[in-house]
Amino acid sequence: TRGTGAADVGRMRLVVIAVLALLALPRGVAAQPGPDDPTPPGLTPPIKPPPAPESPPDLADHRDAAADRAFGSSTALVVPRGTVDLSVRFGKGGLIGSAAVGLGSSAELSADLAGGDQVGMIGAALKVAVVRERAFGLAIEGGFHVGSNDSSQSEPTVWSGGVAASLCTDEQCSALLTGTVGTLAESGQATAYGTASLLVGTGGFRPILEVAAASGGGLGFLGFRVGGR
């Protein structure tokens, strides 16, 4: 009986020691920092703050492949870095096809091809965003286009330069207001122009209102855009 009791006491001691070791093991492991962890032993590693939310212009850029333009005029937004965007706009009497590539965080290079009744035009432009605030942007743009007309043998070259200012109306940029002013030059003659545009919506269907005016007259466009990025 005495031997049996001693054996039971021995087994109980082993069980107690094993339980204490198991309880102490997670605490000891959690307190050991990794080789690349600058946190001193025994302290909780710092919690990384969540990333900052995107600004309204960035939201518009990332969801709309043609946020950098309305119908015929530009906005102050630029295509994101390393991205190539394609867009086609149809209007009464013709269409405009564009391809734009983001050259960095604030620049884009674009090419346009337009065609209509007996009239065509091809060209390129460079746009640089000089101001990018929370809901406001400002960009400068310059380019050239070569036109063709079936009724004339000449192919006029038109140089252009201007400034575009865009404003998102809320945190989701559910409406983008843009105004542009600039100059067109052809055969040594310069013409001032101005445009205003409104893009509405955040989904795949976005109504567009655009008006343009120059010394030779004005025109307007009311339509919609379908698609996204």
Side-chain angles (χ1 to χ4, degrees), residues 58 61-62 68 76-85 100-110 126-130 132 229:
D58 288 336
D61 258 347
H62 292 162
D68 62 322
L77 306 186
V78 295
V79 175
R81 176 186 304 176
T83 302
V84 178
D85 285 344
V101 57
L103 302 180
S105 59
S106 61
E108 75 168 38
L109 180 64
S110 62
L126 176 66
K127 179 166 59 175
V128 179
V130 293
R132 189 67 173 264
R229 190 178 297 285

Side-chain angles (χ1 to χ4, degrees), residues 3-21:
T4 303
D8 292 339
V9 173
R11 282 195 295 270
M12 288 296 294
R13 289 178 178 175
L14 292 177
V15 171
V16 171
I17 293 173
V19 171
L20 292 176

Side-chain angles (χ1 to χ4, degrees), residues 147-149 152-156:
S148 64
N149 192 330
S152 174
Q153 298 297 324
S154 64
E155 295 184 350

Side-chain angles (χ1 to χ4, degrees), residues 5 35 46-47 54 68 74 86 93 120 128 131 135 142 161 195 198 206 221:
I47 300 176
E54 289 186 304
D68 62 322
S74 290
L86 304 176
V128 179
V131 176
T195 71
L198 171 64
R206 303 194 69 188
F221 173 81

Side-chain angles (χ1 to χ4, degrees), residues 93-182:
L95 61 84
I96 305 174
S98 300
V101 57
L103 302 180
S105 59
S106 61
E108 75 168 38
L109 180 64
S110 62
D112 300 306
L113 176 63
D117 297 336
Q118 300 180 344
V119 176
M121 183 170 288
I122 186 172
L126 176 66
K127 179 166 59 175
V128 179
V130 293
V131 176
R132 189 67 173 264
E133 298 295 338
R134 179 68 185 172
F136 173 79
L138 187 70
I140 57 176
E141 183 176 28
F144 73 95
H145 291 78
V146 178
S148 64
N149 192 330
D150 290 346
S151 63
S152 174
Q153 298 297 324
S154 64
E155 295 184 350
T157 299
V158 179
W159 295 86
S160 62
V163 179
S166 295
L167 175 68
C168 287
T169 59
D170 57 24
E171 287 297 313
Q172 297 300 317
C173 202
S174 54
L176 181 66
L177 292 165
T178 299
T180 69
V181 291

Side-chain angles (χ1 to χ4, degrees), residues 179-190:
T180 69
V181 291
T183 302
L184 302 173
E186 177 189 354
S187 301
Q189 296 183 348

